[in-house]
Amino acid sequence: MATTVYHVAASLDGYLTGPRPAAGLQAAGPATGVEDGGDWLSIVDPASVGAIVMGAKTYRSFIEENPAAWAFGTIPAWIFTHHEFPGIPGADITFVRGDVAEFHPDIAHDAGVKDIGLIGGGNLAAQFLDSGLLDEVVLTLVPVVLGGGRPMLPVSNATDFAVLSGSRSHGPGLVELHYSFAR
């Protein structure tokens, strides 16, 4: 069965972007892959994921930046959105609206024995967590404090992390932490 893993880069105070449009994680240095269609391949290993899930803002960043540089090749991508977006030529993209639990079985089927890589949207990740469908978080901490903005994981209920299963330095000043949830 597929494991659902939230891959996220966030500030030390837990935000994806700051309270002002210019206040984001890019100020910390190299591309972090947050809300900019940035260097996702440094955060998510395409060989480990069988399906990608993201929200509308993350997908928009890909199509605005450079749709020809779609980082995920033919890996099935599921975009949760209430907006109409163009596809990307050669990409396997499914646009959906609704509860994450409704689509999770189909996403897991696409992923097969590999992970489901949830790569964008704190609200979307919180929906997976609140539905009991999020298994792990791979958090890259960026050495910046934003003081507000879009939270990394705005859950409706407190959740305990069971295990810190790994950590590593990931670029200049970045630290990657792997957590599993208590179930």
Side-chain angles (χ1 to χ4, degrees), residues 88-163:
I88 295 174
D92 180 1
I93 297 174
T94 302
F95 297 96
V96 295
R97 293 182 177 120
D99 190 303
V100 297
E102 176 184 346
F103 295 100
H104 191 264
D106 294 326
I107 298 168
H109 179 267
D110 276 359
V113 298
K114 294 184 177 182
D115 291 342
I116 297 169
L118 176 55
I119 62 165
N123 288 330
L124 183 60
Q127 291 173 47
F128 273 83
L129 181 60
D130 287 341
S131 295
L133 299 171
L134 188 60
D135 302 301
E136 297 177 19
V137 172
V138 178
L139 167 61
T140 300
L141 287 175
V142 181
V144 64
V145 176
L146 297 175
R150 292 187 51 232
M152 166 187 95
L153 199 56
V155 296
S156 58
N157 298 305
T159 302
D160 291 330
F161 289 85
V163 177

Coordinates of all heavy atoms in Angstrom, one line a residue, residues 88-163:
I88 N -0.4 20.2 -18.9 CA 0.9 20.4 -19.4 C 1.2 19.3 -20.4 O 1.0 18.1 -20.0 CB 1.9 20.3 -18.2 CG1 1.7 21.5 -17.3 CG2 3.4 20.3 -18.7 CD1 2.6 21.5 -16.0
P89 N 1.6 19.6 -21.6 CA 1.8 18.6 -22.6 C 2.7 17.5 -22.1 O 3.8 17.7 -21.6 CB 2.4 19.3 -23.8 CG 1.9 20.7 -23.6 CD 1.8 20.9 -22.1
G90 N 2.3 16.2 -22.3 CA 3.1 15.1 -21.9 C 3.0 14.6 -20.5 O 3.5 13.6 -20.1
A91 N 2.3 15.5 -19.6 CA 2.2 15.2 -18.2 C 0.8 14.4 -18.0 O -0.1 14.7 -18.7 CB 2.2 16.4 -17.4
D92 N 0.8 13.5 -17.0 CA -0.4 12.8 -16.6 C -1.0 13.5 -15.4 O -0.7 13.3 -14.3 CB 0.0 11.4 -16.3 CG -1.2 10.5 -15.9 OD1 -2.3 11.0 -15.9 OD2 -0.9 9.3 -15.5
I93 N -1.9 14.5 -15.7 CA -2.5 15.3 -14.7 C -4.0 15.1 -14.6 O -4.7 15.1 -15.6 CB -2.2 16.8 -15.0 CG1 -0.7 17.0 -15.0 CG2 -2.9 17.7 -14.0 CD1 -0.2 18.4 -15.4
T94 N -4.5 14.9 -13.4 CA -5.9 14.8 -13.1 C -6.3 16.0 -12.2 O -5.7 16.1 -11.1 CB -6.2 13.5 -12.5 OG1 -5.8 12.4 -13.3 CG2 -7.7 13.3 -12.2
F95 N -7.3 16.8 -12.6 CA -7.8 17.8 -11.8 C -9.0 17.3 -11.0 O -9.9 16.7 -11.7 CB -8.2 19.1 -12.6 CG -7.0 19.6 -13.4 CD1 -6.7 19.3 -14.7 CD2 -6.1 20.5 -12.7 CE1 -5.6 19.8 -15.3 CE2 -5.0 21.1 -13.4 CZ -4.8 20.7 -14.7
V96 N -9.1 17.6 -9.7 CA -10.2 17.1 -8.9 C -10.7 18.2 -8.0 O -9.9 19.1 -7.6 CB -9.8 15.8 -8.1 CG1 -9.6 14.6 -9.1 CG2 -8.7 16.0 -7.2
R97 N -12.0 18.0 -7.6 CA -12.6 18.9 -6.6 C -13.3 17.9 -5.6 O -13.9 17.0 -6.0 CB -13.6 19.8 -7.2 CG -13.1 20.8 -8.1 CD -14.2 21.7 -8.7 NE -13.6 22.7 -9.5 CZ -13.9 22.9 -10.8 NH1 -14.8 22.1 -11.4 NH2 -13.3 23.8 -11.4
G98 N -13.1 18.2 -4.3 CA -13.8 17.4 -3.3 C -12.9 17.0 -2.2 O -11.8 17.4 -2.0
D99 N -13.5 16.1 -1.4 CA -12.8 15.6 -0.2 C -11.6 14.7 -0.6 O -11.8 13.8 -1.4 CB -13.8 14.8 0.6 CG -13.3 14.4 2.0 OD1 -12.3 13.7 2.1 OD2 -14.0 14.8 3.0
V100 N -10.5 14.9 0.1 CA -9.3 14.1 -0.2 C -9.6 12.6 0.0 O -9.0 11.8 -0.7 CB -8.1 14.5 0.6 CG1 -7.7 16.0 0.2 CG2 -8.3 14.4 2.1
A101 N -10.4 12.2 1.0 CA -10.7 10.8 1.2 C -11.4 10.2 0.1 O -11.2 9.0 -0.2 CB -11.5 10.7 2.5
E102 N -12.2 10.9 -0.7 CA -12.9 10.4 -1.8 C -11.9 10.0 -2.9 O -12.1 8.9 -3.6 CB -13.8 11.4 -2.4 CG -14.6 11.0 -3.6 CD -15.4 12.2 -4.2 OE1 -15.7 13.2 -3.5 OE2 -15.9 12.0 -5.4
F103 N -10.8 10.7 -3.1 CA -9.9 10.4 -4.2 C -8.7 9.6 -3.8 O -7.9 9.1 -4.6 CB -9.4 11.8 -4.8 CG -10.6 12.5 -5.5 CD1 -11.2 13.6 -4.8 CD2 -11.0 12.1 -6.7 CE1 -12.3 14.2 -5.4 CE2 -12.1 12.8 -7.3 CZ -12.7 13.8 -6.7
H104 N -8.4 9.5 -2.5 CA -7.2 8.8 -2.0 C -7.1 7.4 -2.6 O -6.0 7.0 -3.0 CB -7.2 8.8 -0.5 CG -5.9 8.3 0.0 ND1 -5.6 7.0 0.4 CD2 -4.7 9.0 0.2 CE1 -4.4 6.9 0.8 NE2 -3.8 8.1 0.7
P105 N -8.1 6.6 -2.6 CA -8.0 5.2 -3.2 C -7.5 5.2 -4.6 O -6.6 4.4 -5.0 CB -9.4 4.6 -3.1 CG -10.0 5.3 -2.0 CD -9.5 6.8 -2.1
D106 N -7.9 6.2 -5.4 CA -7.5 6.3 -6.8 C -6.0 6.8 -6.9 O -5.3 6.3 -7.8 CB -8.4 7.2 -7.6 CG -9.8 6.6 -7.8 OD1 -9.9 5.3 -7.9 OD2 -10.8 7.4 -7.8
I107 N -5.7 7.7 -6.1 CA -4.3 8.2 -6.0 C -3.4 7.1 -5.6 O -2.3 6.9 -6.2 CB -4.2 9.4 -5.1 CG1 -5.1 10.6 -5.6 CG2 -2.7 9.8 -5.0 CD1 -5.3 11.7 -4.6
A108 N -3.8 6.3 -4.6 CA -3.0 5.2 -4.1 C -2.8 4.1 -5.2 O -1.7 3.5 -5.4 CB -3.6 4.6 -2.8
H109 N -3.9 3.9 -6.0 CA -3.8 3.0 -7.1 C -2.7 3.4 -8.1 O -1.9 2.6 -8.6 CB -5.2 2.8 -7.7 CG -5.1 1.9 -8.9 ND1 -5.0 2.3 -10.2 CD2 -5.2 0.5 -8.9 CE1 -5.0 1.2 -11.0 NE2 -5.1 0.1 -10.3
D110 N -2.8 4.7 -8.4 CA -1.8 5.3 -9.4 C -0.4 5.1 -8.8 O 0.6 4.9 -9.6 CB -2.1 6.7 -9.6 CG -3.1 6.9 -10.8 OD1 -3.6 6.0 -11.3 OD2 -3.4 8.1 -11.0
A111 N -0.2 5.3 -7.5 CA 1.1 5.2 -6.9 C 1.7 3.8 -6.8 O 2.9 3.6 -6.8 CB 1.1 5.8 -5.5
G112 N 0.8 2.8 -6.8 CA 1.2 1.4 -6.7 C 2.0 1.2 -5.4 O 1.5 1.5 -4.3
V113 N 3.2 0.6 -5.5 CA 4.0 0.3 -4.3 C 4.8 1.5 -3.9 O 5.5 1.4 -2.8 CB 4.8 -0.9 -4.5 CG1 4.0 -2.1 -4.8 CG2 5.8 -0.7 -5.6
K114 N 4.8 2.6 -4.7 CA 5.7 3.7 -4.3 C 4.8 4.7 -3.5 O 3.7 4.5 -3.2 CB 6.1 4.4 -5.6 CG 7.1 3.6 -6.4 CD 7.6 4.3 -7.6 CE 8.6 3.5 -8.4 NZ 9.1 4.3 -9.5
D115 N 5.5 5.8 -3.0 CA 4.9 6.8 -2.2 C 3.9 7.7 -3.0 O 4.1 7.9 -4.2 CB 5.9 7.7 -1.6 CG 6.8 7.0 -0.5 OD1 6.4 5.9 0.0 OD2 7.9 7.5 -0.2
I116 N 3.0 8.3 -2.3 CA 2.2 9.4 -2.8 C 2.9 10.6 -2.3 O 3.1 10.8 -1.0 CB 0.8 9.4 -2.2 CG1 0.0 8.1 -2.7 CG2 0.0 10.7 -2.6 CD1 -1.3 7.9 -2.0
G117 N 3.4 11.4 -3.2 CA 4.2 12.6 -2.8 C 3.3 13.8 -2.8 O 2.9 14.4 -3.8
L118 N 2.9 14.3 -1.6 CA 2.1 15.5 -1.4 C 3.1 16.6 -1.3 O 3.9 16.7 -0.4 CB 1.3 15.4 -0.1 CG 0.4 16.5 0.3 CD1 -0.5 17.0 -0.8 CD2 -0.3 16.2 1.6
I119 N 3.1 17.5 -2.3 CA 4.2 18.5 -2.4 C 3.7 20.0 -2.3 O 4.5 20.8 -2.2 CB 5.0 18.4 -3.7 CG1 4.1 18.6 -4.9 CG2 5.7 17.1 -3.8 CD1 4.9 18.9 -6.2
G120 N 2.4 20.2 -2.2 CA 2.1 21.6 -2.1 C 0.8 21.9 -1.5 O -0.2 21.2 -1.8
G121 N 0.8 22.8 -0.6 CA -0.4 23.3 0.0 C -0.5 22.8 1.4 O -0.8 21.7 1.7
G122 N -0.3 23.7 2.4 CA -0.5 23.4 3.8 C -2.0 23.0 4.1 O -2.2 22.1 4.8
N123 N -2.9 23.7 3.5 CA -4.3 23.4 3.7 C -4.6 22.0 3.2 O -5.4 21.2 3.8 CB -5.2 24.4 3.0 CG -5.2 25.7 3.8 OD1 -5.0 25.8 5.0 ND2 -5.4 26.8 3.0
L124 N -4.1 21.7 2.0 CA -4.3 20.3 1.4 C -3.7 19.2 2.3 O -4.3 18.2 2.6 CB -3.8 20.3 0.0 CG -4.0 19.0 -0.7 CD1 -5.5 18.7 -0.9 CD2 -3.3 19.0 -2.1
A125 N -2.5 19.5 2.8 CA -1.8 18.5 3.7 C -2.6 18.3 5.0 O -2.7 17.2 5.5 CB -0.4 19.0 4.0
A126 N -3.2 19.4 5.5 CA -4.0 19.3 6.7 C -5.2 18.5 6.5 O -5.7 17.8 7.3 CB -4.3 20.7 7.2
Q127 N -5.8 18.6 5.3 CA -7.0 17.8 5.0 C -6.6 16.3 5.0 O -7.4 15.5 5.5 CB -7.6 18.2 3.6 CG -8.2 19.5 3.6 CD -8.6 19.9 2.2 OE1 -9.2 19.1 1.4 NE2 -8.3 21.1 1.8
F128 N -5.4 16.0 4.4 CA -5.0 14.6 4.4 C -4.7 14.1 5.9 O -5.1 13.0 6.2 CB -3.7 14.4 3.6 CG -3.9 14.1 2.1 CD1 -4.2 15.2 1.3 CD2 -3.9 12.9 1.6 CE1 -4.4 15.0 -0.1 CE2 -4.2 12.6 0.3 CZ -4.4 13.7 -0.6
L129 N -4.1 15.0 6.7 CA -3.9 14.6 8.1 C -5.2 14.5 8.8 O -5.3 13.5 9.6 CB -2.9 15.6 8.7 CG -2.6 15.4 10.2 CD1 -1.8 14.1 10.3 CD2 -1.7 16.5 10.7
D130 N -6.1 15.4 8.7 CA -7.3 15.4 9.4 C -8.2 14.1 9.0 O -9.0 13.6 9.8 CB -8.1 16.6 9.2 CG -7.6 17.8 10.0 OD1 -6.8 17.6 10.9 OD2 -7.9 19.0 9.6
S131 N -8.0 13.6 7.8 CA -8.7 12.5 7.3 C -8.0 11.2 7.7 O -8.4 10.1 7.3 CB -8.9 12.5 5.8 OG -9.7 13.6 5.4
G132 N -6.8 11.3 8.4 CA -6.1 10.1 8.8 C -5.3 9.4 7.6 O -5.0 8.3 7.6
L133 N -5.0 10.2 6.6 CA -4.4 9.7 5.3 C -3.0 10.1 5.1 O -2.3 9.7 4.2 CB -5.2 10.1 4.1 CG -6.7 9.6 4.1 CD1 -7.5 10.3 3.0 CD2 -6.7 8.1 4.0
L134 N -2.4 10.9 6.0 CA -1.0 11.4 5.9 C -0.2 10.5 6.8 O -0.4 10.4 8.0 CB -0.9 12.9 6.3 CG 0.4 13.5 6.1 CD1 0.8 13.4 4.6 CD2 0.4 14.9 6.6
D135 N 0.8 9.9 6.3 CA 1.7 8.9 7.0 C 3.0 9.5 7.5 O 3.5 9.2 8.6 CB 2.0 7.7 6.1 CG 0.7 7.0 5.7 OD1 0.0 6.6 6.6 OD2 0.5 6.9 4.5
E136 N 3.6 10.4 6.7 CA 4.9 11.0 7.0 C 5.0 12.4 6.6 O 4.2 12.8 5.6 CB 6.0 10.2 6.3 CG 6.1 8.8 6.7 CD 7.2 8.0 5.9 OE1 8.1 8.7 5.3 OE2 7.1 6.8 5.9
V137 N 5.9 13.2 7.2 CA 6.2 14.5 6.8 C 7.7 14.6 6.6 O 8.5 14.2 7.5 CB 5.8 15.6 7.8 CG1 6.3 17.0 7.4 CG2 4.3 15.6 8.0
V138 N 8.1 15.1 5.4 CA 9.6 15.4 5.2 C 9.6 16.9 5.2 O 9.2 17.5 4.2 CB 10.1 14.7 3.9 CG1 11.5 15.1 3.7 CG2 9.9 13.2 3.9
L139 N 10.1 17.4 6.3 CA 10.2 18.9 6.5 C 11.6 19.4 6.3 O 12.5 19.0 7.0 CB 9.7 19.2 7.9 CG 9.9 20.6 8.4 CD1 9.1 21.6 7.6 CD2 9.5 20.7 9.9
T140 N 11.7 20.3 5.3 CA 13.0 21.0 5.1 C 12.8 22.4 5.8 O 12.0 23.2 5.4 CB 13.3 21.2 3.7 OG1 13.4 19.9 3.1 CG2 14.7 21.9 3.5
L141 N 13.6 22.6 6.9 CA 13.6 23.9 7.6 C 14.5 24.9 6.9 O 15.7 24.6 6.6 CB 14.0 23.7 9.0 CG 13.0 23.0 9.9 CD1 13.6 22.8 11.3 CD2 11.7 23.8 10.0
V142 N 14.0 26.0 6.6 CA 14.7 27.1 5.9 C 15.1 28.1 7.0 O 14.2 28.5 7.7 CB 13.9 27.7 4.8 CG1 14.7 28.8 4.1 CG2 13.5 26.6 3.8
P143 N 16.3 28.5 7.1 CA 16.8 29.4 8.2 C 16.3 30.8 8.0 O 17.1 31.7 7.8 CB 18.3 29.3 8.2 CG 18.6 29.0 6.8 CD 17.5 28.1 6.3
V144 N 15.0 31.0 8.1 CA 14.4 32.4 8.1 C 13.2 32.3 9.0 O 12.5 31.3 9.1 CB 14.0 32.8 6.6 CG1 13.0 31.8 6.0 CG2 13.6 34.2 6.5
V145 N 12.8 33.5 9.6 CA 11.6 33.6 10.3 C 10.7 34.6 9.6 O 11.2 35.8 9.3 CB 11.9 34.1 11.8 CG1 10.6 34.4 12.6 CG2 12.8 33.1 12.5
L146 N 9.5 34.2 9.2 CA 8.6 35.1 8.4 C 7.6 35.9 9.3 O 7.1 36.8 8.8 CB 7.9 34.2 7.4 CG 8.8 33.5 6.4 CD1 8.0 32.6 5.5 CD2 9.6 34.6 5.6
G147 N 7.3 35.4 10.5 CA 6.5 36.2 11.4 C 5.0 36.1 11.0 O 4.2 36.9 11.6
G148 N 4.6 35.2 10.1 CA 3.2 35.1 9.7 C 3.2 34.7 8.3 O 4.2 34.6 7.6
G149 N 1.9 34.5 7.8 CA 1.8 34.1 6.4 C 1.0 32.8 6.3 O 0.1 32.6 7.1
R150 N 1.3 32.0 5.2 CA 0.5 30.8 5.0 C 1.2 29.7 5.8 O 2.4 29.3 5.6 CB 0.6 30.4 3.5 CG -0.3 31.4 2.7 CD -0.5 31.1 1.3 NE -0.9 29.7 1.1 CZ -0.3 28.8 0.3 NH1 0.7 29.2 -0.4 NH2 -0.8 27.6 0.2
P151 N 0.5 29.1 6.8 CA 1.1 28.0 7.6 C 1.4 26.7 6.9 O 0.7 26.4 5.9 CB 0.0 27.8 8.7 CG -1.2 28.4 8.2 CD -0.9 29.4 7.1
M152 N 2.4 26.1 7.4 CA 2.8 24.8 6.8 C 1.8 23.7 6.9 O 1.6 22.9 6.0 CB 4.1 24.4 7.5 CG 4.5 23.0 7.3 SD 6.0 22.6 8.3 CE 5.2 21.8 9.7
L153 N 1.1 23.6 8.1 CA 0.1 22.6 8.3 C -1.0 23.0 9.3 O -1.0 22.8 10.4 CB 0.9 21.4 8.9 CG 0.3 20.0 8.9 CD1 -0.1 19.6 7.4 CD2 1.2 19.0 9.5
P154 N -2.0 23.8 8.7 CA -3.0 24.3 9.6 C -4.1 23.3 9.9 O -5.2 23.3 9.3 CB -3.6 25.4 8.7 CG -3.4 25.0 7.3 CD -2.1 24.2 7.3
V155 N -3.8 22.4 10.8 CA -4.7 21.3 11.2 C -5.8 21.8 12.1 O -5.7 22.8 12.8 CB -4.0 20.1 11.8 CG1 -3.0 19.5 10.9 CG2 -3.3 20.5 13.1
S156 N -6.9 21.0 12.1 CA -8.0 21.4 13.0 C -7.9 20.7 14.3 O -8.6 21.1 15.3 CB -9.4 21.0 12.3 OG -9.4 19.6 12.0
N157 N -7.1 19.7 14.5 CA -6.9 19.0 15.7 C -5.4 18.8 16.0 O -4.6 18.5 15.0 CB -7.5 17.6 15.7 CG -9.0 17.7 15.5 OD1 -9.7 18.3 16.3 ND2 -9.5 17.0 14.5
A158 N -5.0 18.8 17.3 CA -3.6 18.5 17.6 C -3.2 17.1 17.2 O -4.1 16.2 17.3 CB -3.4 18.7 19.1
T159 N -2.0 16.9 16.7 CA -1.6 15.6 16.3 C -0.2 15.4 16.8 O 0.7 16.3 16.7 CB -1.5 15.6 14.7 OG1 -2.8 15.9 14.2 CG2 -1.1 14.2 14.2
D160 N 0.1 14.2 17.3 CA 1.4 13.8 17.8 C 2.2 13.2 16.7 O 1.7 12.3 16.0 CB 1.3 12.9 19.0 CG 0.8 13.5 20.2 OD1 0.9 14.7 20.4 OD2 0.1 12.8 21.0
F161 N 3.5 13.6 16.6 CA 4.4 12.9 15.7 C 5.0 11.7 16.5 O 5.5 11.9 17.6 CB 5.5 13.8 15.2 CG 5.0 14.8 14.2 CD1 4.4 16.0 14.7 CD2 5.1 14.6 12.9 CE1 4.0 17.0 13.8 CE2 4.6 15.6 12.0 CZ 4.1 16.7 12.4
A162 N 5.0 10.5 16.0 CA 5.5 9.4 16.7 C 7.0 9.3 16.7 O 7.7 9.1 17.7 CB 4.9 8.1 16.2
V163 N 7.6 9.4 15.5 CA 9.0 9.1 15.4 C 9.7 10.1 14.5 O 9.2 10.5 13.4 CB 9.1 7.7 14.7 CG1 10.6 7.4 14.5 CG2 8.5 6.7 15.6

